[in-house]
Amino acid sequence: MHSDHDMTLVLLAALLCAFGSWVIANLYRHGLKQTPRQALLWYFLTAVTSGITIWCTHFIAMLAYQPDAPVSFDFGLTFASLVIAITGSTVGILIAGMFRKRVTTVIGGVILGLSISAMHYTGMIAYRIEGIIHWDKTYLVASVLLAMVLSTVALFFGAQGDKYARSKMTASFALAIVGLHFTGMAAFHVTPTTLIGGHSNPDEYRLLALVIAGTAAMIVMGGLFTYFIENRTRLENIVELRQARDEARDASRAKSEFMSVLSHELRTPLTIINGYASFLTNLKGHTIAKLKPNEQISKVHFEELGDQTERYGGRIKSAGDHLLTIINELLDYTSIELNSIKLNKTFFQAGELLAELEEQFQGLAKEKQAVLEIECDDFDVFADRGRCKQILINLLGNALKFSSASSIRMRAKRVGDTCRLEVEDNGCGMPEEDLQRIFQAFIQAESAAKSADGGTGLGLAISKKLAAAHEGDIQVESAVGVGTKFTVDLPDCASEIRVENALAAA
């Protein structure tokens, strides 16, 4: 480096070069990860950033050169050097990035190095000075070779996958730019033709260098900002895709488990139905076969035959009811998913509904050795009675079948303008992690999954959606070993509707 340089501007040029090279490394490596069509845009952005970085580093370094002679610039050639830098960078980066082969990387690196050299020496031609210029051809050739070699090395580093590849590309490219400039300047010698001692060029050159540096920094920052925004968006998309993949995987696993459970649930009642239907079909033949020789069928035989028929028919009906419940749950869930559910809202007494359910489930409660109790305020509800009953059947059935509770309570009360229905047991309870998933379709809590009573895993999902169809919700509280409480809140406008109807009648 010549001794007659403004070191402040030299440092400014070096900092701009280092920062620009780092941005170029980020953009180029990001482009390598894209599809060919998307990569074109990123390679072009890389090339523009590269051309501006190269040109601005060179121009600021030229302004830092302070010979003892007046200087000026041919702005036409100076602008041409900028175009050469951007165009050459575009060609070199596209060849190296699009084909991604060793030979194309070398070709791209050579073109990129030649574009740096062409920009530099075009800028030198645009540099006008009152003096005799001498060139050292050794330094001149060395500067061009240095630019080509280091540019090629930078592109090779950029294509590597190790964690230091970005840093190595940044350092190599920065050395290519700075090395060419100051090696080229070492080849440049001026003998002033005027005898002006202690000449210094205008202070406006320093200001011009600062303006160019600021403009270049903003442009390079724009490229960096674009990279960060796109990279952040890509990372967010990756996270969303992973979540979607995990959810799809969980859903697929849940559906597979559901199909396994469903096949068992369907096979059991169908086996019972087929078995007892087969007994009924052969019942007459079995009865005749038991008769002694010459014995006639008597009234006793008919009574025994009738008792067996009634017993088998009852078991067939029980299995058929179980099968119908499963099918109805599937149809309900399908219709709810298709948003084709329709509510038939009417006025009904909450106490009557709970008493009806108590009577319906007393047999199962005795079988499970559980006490079933109801607590209810005296009020009317304006809702779909059948759907409310379906919700409570699901909750009460689960409590009896899965909780191992000795006491189960159903409550109905008014909270403001809301009808609140509760089903609480003192059974085994559920862990916290199950509370977040039991309302999902095809999902059962651990205790339910291990129960001999089985189930489709659709009951709570259907109940949740039915409550939502009433513009309400279901909440659950549970503790392992303590019990579980389900709370159904349904917006209830019965009192307001009665007032409106009374006013309309008046």
Side-chain angles (χ1 to χ4, degrees):
M1 183 186 298
H2 290 290
S3 59
D4 44 1
H5 275 79
D6 184 334
M7 296 307 298
T8 302
L9 295 182
V10 170
L11 180 60
L12 178 62
L15 290 174
L16 178 62
C17 181
F19 175 63
S21 299
W22 180 73
V23 174
I24 292 164
N26 280 282
L27 295 176
Y28 181 70
R29 287 173 56 80
H30 186 71
L32 291 174
K33 300 176 184 177
Q34 309 303 311
T35 61
R37 180 174 296 181
Q38 293 174 327
L40 280 174
L41 177 62
W42 287 100
Y43 291 147
F44 180 72
L45 183 59
T46 304
V48 171
T49 306
S50 173
I52 291 173
T53 300
I54 294 168
W55 184 84
C56 290
T57 300
H58 162 78
F59 198 73
I60 294 172
M62 288 301 301
L63 292 174
Y65 180 47
Q66 300 287 327
D68 292 332
V71 299
S72 61
F73 296 92
D74 185 317
F75 287 101
L77 287 174
T78 301
F79 179 75
S81 67
L82 173 61
V83 174
I84 290 172
I86 295 175
T87 304
S89 296
T90 302
V91 175
I93 289 172
L94 282 177
I95 291 175
M98 293 303 293
F99 298 100
R100 304 182 187 183
K101 296 181 179 179
R102 186 179 297 273
V103 64
T104 54
T105 302
V106 172
I107 294 172
V110 169
I111 293 174
L112 185 56
L114 288 174
S115 70
I116 298 174
S117 303
M119 179 281 309
H120 173 79
Y121 289 110
T122 302
M124 292 300 296
I125 295 172
Y127 187 74
R128 304 298 168 81
I129 185 169
E130 296 184 13
I132 300 173
I133 299 174
H134 305 278
W135 290 94
D136 186 323
K137 293 182 180 179
T138 302
Y139 278 112
L140 190 148
V141 173
S143 68
V144 176
L145 291 176
L146 187 67
M148 291 191 295
V149 171
L150 288 176
S151 296
T152 304
V153 170
L155 292 179
F156 269 112
F157 283 146
Q160 292 179 349
D162 63 275
K163 61 180 180 179
Y164 298 112
R166 180 183 291 105
S167 300
K168 290 189 287 188
M169 181 180 179
T170 300
S172 300
F173 197 64
L175 286 174
I177 299 171
V178 174
L180 174 127
H181 178 86
F182 288 105
T183 304
M185 290 302 295
F188 181 75
H189 299 279
V190 178
T191 301
T193 56
T194 57
L195 301 176
I196 305 176
H199 174 80
S200 62
N201 287 295
D203 291 337
E204 286 78 3
Y205 283 176
R206 177 186 289 269
L207 179 61
L208 179 61
L210 294 175
V211 171
I212 291 173
T215 305
M218 285 191 292
I219 295 173
V220 174
M221 282 291 291
L224 182 63
F225 181 74
T226 303
Y227 162 74
F228 280 140
I229 292 297
E230 202 277 341
N231 198 43
R232 180 181 178 84
T233 303
R234 182 177 62 86
L235 292 176
E236 290 175 351
N237 290 338
I238 289 174
V239 171
E240 292 176 359
L241 288 173
R242 284 177 178 168
Q243 290 177 345
R245 180 201 62 191
D246 293 342
E247 290 174 0
R249 184 183 298 164
D250 292 342
S252 177
R253 185 185 302 111
K255 287 185 178 180
S256 297
E257 293 173 357
F258 165 72
M259 292 305 297
S260 175
V261 171
L262 181 62
S263 64
H264 171 75
E265 291 290 319
L266 293 176
R267 189 183 298 115
T268 300
L270 283 173
T271 301
I272 294 172
I273 290 170
N274 287 334
Y276 283 105
S278 178
F279 291 160
L280 287 175
T281 302
N282 299 313
L283 190 56
K284 180 180 177 181
H286 289 316
T287 302
I288 295 175
K290 292 178 181 179
L291 295 176
K292 297 178 181 180
N294 300 322
E295 182 180 3
Q296 299 295 320
I297 297 178
S298 65
K299 181 179 179 182
V300 174
H301 295 125
F302 278 109
E303 288 177 353
E304 290 179 356
L305 190 65
D307 290 342
Q308 284 183 306
T309 303
E310 184 177 353
R311 184 164 58 252
Y312 293 164
R315 292 173 181 175
I316 289 174
K317 183 179 184 303
S318 177
D321 289 342
H322 183 199
L323 187 61
L324 183 61
T325 299
I326 294 173
I327 293 172
N328 283 337
E329 283 187 349
L330 290 172
L331 294 176
D332 274 344
Y333 185 76
T334 302
S335 66
I336 290 171
E337 283 292 288
L338 295 174
N339 294 320
S340 60
I341 183 172
K342 294 182 180 179
L343 299 179
N344 181 24
K345 291 187 176 184
T346 58
F347 291 103
F348 63 90
Q349 288 188 347
E352 290 182 358
L353 176 60
L354 266 58
E356 182 180 330
L357 289 169
E358 181 187 24
E359 182 180 354
Q360 179 178 340
F361 279 91
Q362 278 296 349
L364 182 59
K366 289 180 180 179
E367 181 183 331
K368 297 291 184 179
Q369 298 181 345
V371 177
L372 186 58
E373 302 175 355
I374 61 173
E375 300 176 8
C376 183
D377 296 340
D378 184 15
F379 68 98
D380 288 345
V381 183
F382 183 69
D384 188 321
R385 190 180 190 278
R387 295 301 189 180
C388 290
K389 182 178 179 181
Q390 184 178 359
I391 292 172
L392 290 174
I393 286 175
N394 287 331
L395 299 179
L396 191 55
N398 285 347
L400 286 167
K401 288 188 290 186
F402 304 132
S403 70
S404 303
S406 60
S407 174
I408 300 174
R409 292 187 179 183
M410 287 189 296
R411 303 187 186 92
K413 54 187 176 182
R414 183 184 293 280
V415 180
D417 292 332
T418 298
C419 169
R420 174 165 292 177
L421 306 173
E422 295 178 351
V423 176
E424 184 176 9
D425 65 70
N426 64 347
C428 59
M430 291 179 285
E432 182 70 25
E433 57 269 19
D434 279 350
L435 302 183
Q436 307 300 321
R437 55 195 294 269
I438 57 174
F439 291 107
Q440 299 176 22
F442 316 117
I443 298 294
Q444 290 182 328
E446 186 70 17
S447 59
K450 293 180 180 178
S451 172
D453 294 287
T456 61
L458 289 174
L460 289 178
I462 292 172
S463 299
K464 185 83 168 178
K465 290 183 179 293
L466 289 176
H470 282 83
E471 299 181 359
D473 194 16
I474 299 181
Q475 301 294 330
V476 59
E477 302 172 23
S478 186
V480 177
V482 177
T484 304
K485 181 171 75 171
F486 285 90
T487 303
V488 184
D489 284 332
L490 304 176
D492 173 36
C493 304
S495 58
E496 288 81 355
I497 292 174
R498 290 190 184 281
V499 172
E500 290 177 4
N501 289 342
L503 292 174

